[in-house]
Amino acid sequence: VNKSLLVKYFRTQISQDPDVASAAAAIRSLLEFLKRDQSETLLGLRENLTEAIRRLGEADSSVAVSSGGELFLRFITLTSLEHLDFSQSKNLLVERGELFLNKISLSRNKVAKLCHTFIKDGAKILTHSSSRVVLKVLENAAADKKRFSVYVTESQPDSAGKLMAEKLRRLNIPVTVILDAAVGYIMEKVNLVIVGAEGVVESGGIINKIGTYQLAVCSKAHNKPFYVVAESFKFVRLFPLNQQDVPAQFKYKADILKTAEDLDKEHPMIDYTPPSLITLLFTDLGVLTPSAVSDELIKIYL
Amino acid sequence: MADADETSKQAERNTNVGDGIAVKKQDIARAKNEGKELTKDEKQRLRKEKKQQKKNKKDDKGESEHENVPLPPSQAVVQCQSQKAPSVAPSLALTPVSVCTSEKPAKSKAEQRAERRARQEADRAAKGKKGESAQQPPSGKSKAPPNELQPVVKRLPEHVQVDDPAAVRKLAKKLERQQIPVRSEYGYKVSLFSHLHQYSRKAPLTQQISIPSTVIHPYIVRLGLQYSQGIVAGSNARSIALLHAFQKVIQDYKTPPNEELSRDLVNKLKPYISYLNQCRPLSASMGNAIKYVKKEISNIPCLCKEEEAKKQLLSCIDNYIKEKITLAATTISAYAIEKISNGDVILVYGCSSLVNHILCDAFDKKRKFSVIVVDSRPRLEGREALRRLVKKGICCTYVLISAVSYILPEVSKVFLGAHALLANGYVMSRVGTSQIALVAKAYNVPVLVCCETYKFCERVQTDSFVSNELGNQYT
């Protein structure tokens, strides 16, 4: 019973504040769930939380929700719970949860602060689909009185690129929407490529909206820097060897996973970009090269 | 015949020393030739004699130069005549001209021991500088006096440098001290590999030691023969065989009176290790296993009874095999199976026990995949892998390494085993593995290497020439 409430809460969070990262909304819902949880033992609490994370994953099948949930669980339990009293331990867990939530709501600002200095005056930027982190980066750069123009790919099938263009126009940044197929055509004009990420994997590669891999290959062919902006809660413990190796639960939207008969006939929503094509990753842990990602990941997860 | 020559040569050389000492020398020589282990006294006496000779040689330097000239041809004569005991003859010929000096031969035991220790330090430091000084001055000139104690260099595995005469001499001296026969080198050498050992394969090393040998435990002799003939091959198999042999040695060991087990047993193991190294160079995994065993032995408390200590050591070795090899294989295969999906075509090279284990496990867990086994001459180890996989029921294809670029478009993953993993992330494995990896990279096929942690090595190597093991050119 509690679980359906959880999913509803999650969806209301997303609709109320469309600017928040889906993982942040998930973590807020988990925190609420933790506060209202009725279990008497720590083990029961942990099991309920794991089940809740799984349920949220079913509602929104993005990589960020799964990684955010796991990191949340690890963070709050990474404390000594020597207290004999269960309610005291639970209060401590809730405190840690609030701390974690505050940390991640600040992470997007940290990333934007690091990245906007890489945008020079007169730059032409290419980005893919709609990413709130990239939007924040461009916002900061515009606030810094820099003059630049942006090309956004349309990013079918959901035309998310058009939404991104709208938001950028509101910030008075000159923006052009291009076809997904025109990426190779436009590459010679642009100076740098910035994309967001849904998940950052152990090898230093990223999982992002379908079309990112093509963008990365083209920018490598033209020797343009390919930058990725991602918060640290998106680091996930996967190591895909190639496109087929990405688990099916992340590739398709949650409702399609439940109803589809043959997944091979469905269009995947994400693809995997290997670390060899990425120049730098901007995270709230700092500016990292793809090879440094695995070090940071180990630090977070252990 | 050779023995007679040797003793006569010794008699010649001993003319400047007293007759009494000459008799003792003949005793020692006879004892050596009979293969008996020299007692401590005899060893010390031998050392004293050598020091005396060195001192005499140093006194009349001019004559020593003349001495050098007739020695090499006599050495050559001895070698031509017999293949049987070349170890004893050249080493005896070399000692009068070897380098370390000493002032007074008649010293107290403690002073002699201190001197020996100082010489060992100098040797170790000199070995550390071996890489820098490419040309060492030939014998006759003295090196840094042994009284200069240099700081001990951290011991990394010995670097093979056969074209450096000082290194070869050092090795020969060490083997002679431990009474292990030196392996005979092949007559005609390939100049590209002049820095590596090119051993003759005509007679195995065991023909040069008397059997039963009192110096080397029979299980170790058997093990050495198995290594040199290729009966026991493969990194894991060799390590496990070595550890089992060490267990037998420990079981048969009896602490001599006035000795401590923790120190004496380690010293007993040293000649065995040199012998095995001569039969076939030690692998990184064997090196790590030996380090572990030596550490365990030296950690035995001195008040421990012999039976208890032996039991503890045996169980330690059993634990090592269980943890580092058996359980490691289970863990690795649990990780590796996640990467095998249904419909995969997996390429394997040669016969790696770990990779075979992984594939058999995956097959047991009902994964549907097929295997391509790549094989190469001269050992054709892939046939053994093929046998094991087909017995399990896995669908296999067999190709030679020349066809690897032909079948690679069909391959989805490559699984390779490793002999050692170096400190810079490079993988050392059977020759041909790097070729497979390069071709796989060209076809964008992921290459996965499976390696237990006990094979990790602290060396760094960027190419395959600098240090390697040469095979038999005649199979």
Side-chain angles (χ1 to χ4, degrees):
Chain A
V1 173
N2 245 353
K3 308 288 167 56
S4 53
L5 267 179
L6 171 75
V7 175
K8 229 197 285 183
Y9 187 87
F10 173 63
R11 287 199 210 276
T12 43
Q13 286 286 315
I14 299 242
S15 52
Q16 274 175 4
D17 191 2
D19 216 17
V20 77
S22 53
I27 290 169
R28 202 169 293 153
S29 338
L30 283 173
L31 198 56
E32 243 342 278
F33 176 83
L34 177 62
K35 285 184 197 155
R36 295 188 202 175
D37 186 61
Q38 306 285 351
S39 47
E40 302 283 303
T41 62
L42 276 177
L43 195 60
L45 184 65
R46 198 194 167 83
E47 274 178 19
N48 283 350
L49 272 176
T50 335
E51 177 62 26
I53 294 174
R54 203 184 58 78
R55 272 309 205 87
L56 279 178
E58 277 176 21
D60 181 348
S61 69
S62 65
V63 184
V65 167
S66 121
S67 71
E70 191 179 342
L71 281 169
F72 173 74
L73 190 57
R74 274 175 189 271
F75 187 83
I76 61 175
T77 47
L78 190 73
T79 168
S80 70
L81 294 168
E82 309 282 6
H83 309 276
L84 299 155
D85 196 341
F86 176 69
S87 58
Q88 277 187 326
S89 322
K90 194 159 163 200
N91 287 339
L92 188 60
L93 289 178
V94 169
E95 250 178 68
R96 303 259 314 161
E98 305 268 0
L99 190 63
F100 189 67
L101 200 56
N102 283 337
K103 227 168 46 129
I104 62 173
S105 42
L106 296 172
S107 55
R108 200 186 283 171
N109 288 335
K110 279 195 213 159
V111 174
K113 223 193 296 187
L114 278 175
C115 187
H116 79 265
T117 48
F118 279 68
I119 300 174
K120 299 200 180 73
D121 221 9
K124 294 206 181 54
I125 302 171
L126 175 59
T127 183
H128 183 65
S129 184
S130 170
S131 165
R132 290 171 283 237
V133 192
V134 176
L135 188 62
K136 194 91 182 60
V137 169
L138 297 175
E139 213 182 290
N140 279 23
D144 214 15
K145 305 284 199 308
K146 293 213 178 101
R147 282 169 295 181
F148 56 91
S149 60
V150 182
Y151 294 95
V152 191
T153 58
E154 217 182 16
S155 169
Q156 296 292 359
D158 52 5
S159 294
K162 295 203 179 132
L163 286 166
M164 180 76 164
E166 258 313 304
K167 292 186 211 165
L168 283 169
R169 251 175 236 127
R170 262 179 254 145
L171 295 166
N172 289 329
I173 298 174
V175 57
T176 322
V177 178
I178 61 171
L179 294 171
D180 294 337
V183 157
Y185 169 79
I186 209 83
M187 193 55 78
E188 55 190 35
K189 284 203 223 166
V190 301
N191 301 117
L192 67 151
V193 182
I194 307 183
V195 298
E198 293 197 24
V200 179
V201 294
E202 272 180 44
S203 57
I206 59 165
I207 294 184
N208 198 20
K209 184 81 184 297
I210 190 98
T212 314
Y213 181 48
Q214 263 154 239
L215 196 59
V217 173
C218 281
S219 63
K220 183 83 178 184
H222 285 265
N223 273 328
K224 309 282 178 181
F226 185 84
Y227 297 134
V228 172
V229 285
E231 301 101 312
S232 65
F233 60 80
K234 290 181 177 161
F235 281 24
V236 64
R237 295 208 73 179
L238 276 179
F239 200 123
L241 297 172
N242 45 29
Q243 304 295 337
Q244 308 308 319
D245 216 11
V246 180
Q249 80 208 69
F250 297 136
K251 275 203 255 197
Y252 309 100
K253 280 215 140 58
D255 26 6
I256 295 183
L257 276 173
K258 284 185 219 149
T259 57
E261 296 124 22
D262 186 6
L263 280 176
D264 273 346
K265 298 245 166 48
E266 298 295 330
H267 297 292
M269 293 300 287
I270 56 160
D271 63 17
Y272 164 66
T273 307
S276 49
L277 302 172
I278 301 174
T279 327
L280 287 175
L281 287 114
F282 297 90
T283 68
D284 51 318
L285 304 165
V287 183
L288 308 171
T289 53
S291 24
V293 166
S294 59
D295 268 348
E296 294 295 327
L297 221 144
I298 292 177
K299 273 193 245 170
I300 303 180
Y301 274 91
L302 293 171
Chain B
M1 196 181 68
D3 306 15
D5 270 348
E6 273 162 34
T7 43
S8 66
K9 236 152 231 69
Q10 275 185 331
E12 275 178 4
R13 240 174 270 123
N14 293 340
T15 45
N16 49 357
V17 192
D19 264 337
I21 307 176
V23 168
K24 283 195 200 119
K25 270 215 116 167
Q26 281 176 4
D27 274 335
I28 293 174
R30 211 181 307 131
K32 254 200 198 165
N33 293 338
E34 286 169 25
K36 253 194 279 173
E37 191 170 355
L38 297 179
T39 63
K40 240 190 175 171
D41 289 338
E42 284 178 326
K43 278 191 193 161
Q44 274 192 352
R45 223 179 294 148
L46 191 61
R47 250 180 255 126
K48 230 195 249 178
E49 258 83 63
K50 283 186 197 159
K51 267 188 230 153
Q52 181 91 18
Q53 284 175 1
K54 275 179 234 157
K55 188 227 171 188
N56 292 340
K57 291 293 181 290
K58 201 186 172 224
D59 283 345
D60 25 50
K61 252 194 188 165
E63 289 163 52
S64 77
E65 300 295 339
H66 293 299
E67 287 267 350
N68 287 350
V69 173
L71 274 171
S74 67
Q75 186 183 339
V77 163
V78 171
Q79 275 196 329
C80 288
Q81 280 178 343
S82 73
Q83 290 281 334
K84 267 210 187 144
S87 56
V88 190
S91 50
L92 281 177
L94 283 171
T95 43
V97 261
S98 78
V99 176
C100 292
T101 61
S102 72
E103 322 295 349
K104 307 147 217 161
K107 275 185 181 175
S108 70
K109 247 192 187 175
E111 284 179 11
Q112 279 182 343
R113 227 178 274 143
E115 218 180 277
R116 219 179 308 140
R117 223 174 286 135
R119 226 188 312 136
Q120 278 176 2
E121 306 288 74
D123 271 350
R124 235 177 264 147
K127 215 194 282 180
K129 290 187 191 158
K130 229 199 299 173
E132 301 162 14
S133 54
Q135 303 163 326
Q136 299 240 329
S139 52
K141 304 194 186 128
S142 53
K143 277 194 197 153
N147 295 327
E148 225 178 83
L149 272 174
Q150 279 144 347
V152 179
V153 176
K154 179 174 180 199
R155 293 270 215 148
L156 284 177
E158 290 206 8
H159 213 74
V160 180
Q161 257 184 309
V162 176
D163 50 3
D164 181 5
V168 178
R169 262 201 304 278
K170 208 168 288 177
L171 178 66
K173 244 197 342 180
K174 175 177 160 206
L175 292 174
E176 182 239 351
R177 203 178 352 119
Q178 293 174 335
Q179 298 173 273
I180 310 270
V182 174
R183 216 163 156 187
S184 55
E185 301 256 334
Y186 197 63
Y188 168 70
K189 289 197 183 193
V190 178
S191 58
L192 179 65
F193 298 123
S194 60
H195 63 289
L196 300 173
H197 288 294
Q198 297 187 35
Y199 290 128
S200 138
R201 299 248 167 182
K202 296 230 182 90
L205 195 64
T206 42
Q207 280 193 12
Q208 293 167 19
I209 55 177
S210 61
I211 296 183
S213 159
T214 46
V215 180
I216 307 176
H217 192 278
Y219 263 94
I220 304 280
V221 175
R222 183 178 84 161
L223 189 65
L225 199 58
Q226 284 174 330
Y227 283 166
S228 64
Q229 300 299 308
I231 299 170
V232 173
S235 197
N236 278 345
R238 283 164 71 189
S239 307
I240 295 178
L242 177 74
L243 289 168
H244 282 317
F246 274 178
Q247 278 185 321
K248 291 277 177 353
V249 167
I250 291 173
Q251 266 172 349
D252 292 341
Y253 173 72
K254 288 223 170 4
T255 326
N258 305 335
E259 287 283 357
E260 265 191 44
L261 181 139
S262 54
R263 257 174 262 153
D264 188 58
L265 186 52
V266 178
N267 286 339
K268 273 268 166 11
L269 289 180
K270 285 192 191 157
Y272 300 166
I273 295 163
S274 306
Y275 165 73
L276 291 174
N277 206 6
Q278 283 289 98
C279 290
R280 192 175 161 190
L282 296 179
S283 63
S285 54
M286 288 164 73
N288 286 340
I290 290 172
K291 249 186 253 172
Y292 173 78
V293 172
K294 279 191 182 168
K295 185 173 78 98
E296 284 302 313
I297 294 175
S298 38
N299 281 347
I300 299 265
C302 39
L303 299 169
C304 199
K305 280 215 228 37
E306 185 174 319
E307 279 312 308
E308 259 182 60
K310 285 211 255 190
K311 228 193 304 182
Q312 192 186 329
L313 285 174
L314 293 175
S315 76
C316 276
I317 294 183
D318 274 331
N319 271 346
Y320 186 83
I321 296 179
K322 194 171 84 163
E323 271 177 38
K324 305 276 180 172
I325 306 181
T326 324
L327 286 179
T330 332
T331 320
I332 294 175
S333 86
Y335 283 130
I337 286 175
E338 288 172 24
K339 289 292 165 202
I340 301 180
S341 23
N342 287 335
D344 261 350
V345 178
I346 298 178
L347 187 132
V348 300
Y349 177 62
C351 182
S352 163
S353 55
L354 185 55
V355 173
N356 290 340
H357 183 264
I358 292 172
L359 294 176
C360 294
D361 262 357
F363 188 75
D364 285 335
K365 296 219 168 73
K366 307 279 185 279
R367 293 271 202 275
K368 305 266 175 303
F369 59 92
S370 65
V371 175
I372 299 182
V373 179
V374 178
D375 202 6
S376 73
R377 279 197 72 248
R379 296 191 184 216
L380 291 171
E381 291 167 330
R383 291 189 293 190
E384 178 59 34
L386 189 66
R387 215 169 289 142
R388 289 188 204 169
L389 295 173
V390 169
K391 206 161 153 190
K392 196 79 188 181
I394 302 175
C395 187
C396 296
T397 313
Y398 177 86
V399 291
L400 288 180
I401 194 164
S402 23
V404 95
S405 55
Y406 173 72
I407 41 110
L408 217 78
E410 299 180 26
V411 172
S412 55
K413 300 190 170 70
V414 177
F415 272 76
L416 300 173
H419 168 104
L421 212 69
L422 303 178
N424 56 350
Y426 282 41
V427 173
M428 228 164 49
S429 185
R430 174 68 66 213
V431 65
T433 312
S434 71
Q435 190 176 332
I436 305 261
L438 284 167
V439 181
K441 175 85 178 168
Y443 281 89
N444 234 350
V445 173
V447 174
L448 306 173
V449 172
C450 311
C451 181
E452 298 96 329
T453 52
Y454 86 109
K455 288 182 187 163
F456 283 17
C457 187
E458 280 182 3
R459 295 183 48 180
V460 171
Q461 234 180 286
T462 49
D463 63 65
S464 325
F465 283 100
V466 66
S467 160
N468 211 326
E469 188 191 331
L470 293 177
N472 189 351
Q473 64 270 54
Y474 286 120
T475 11

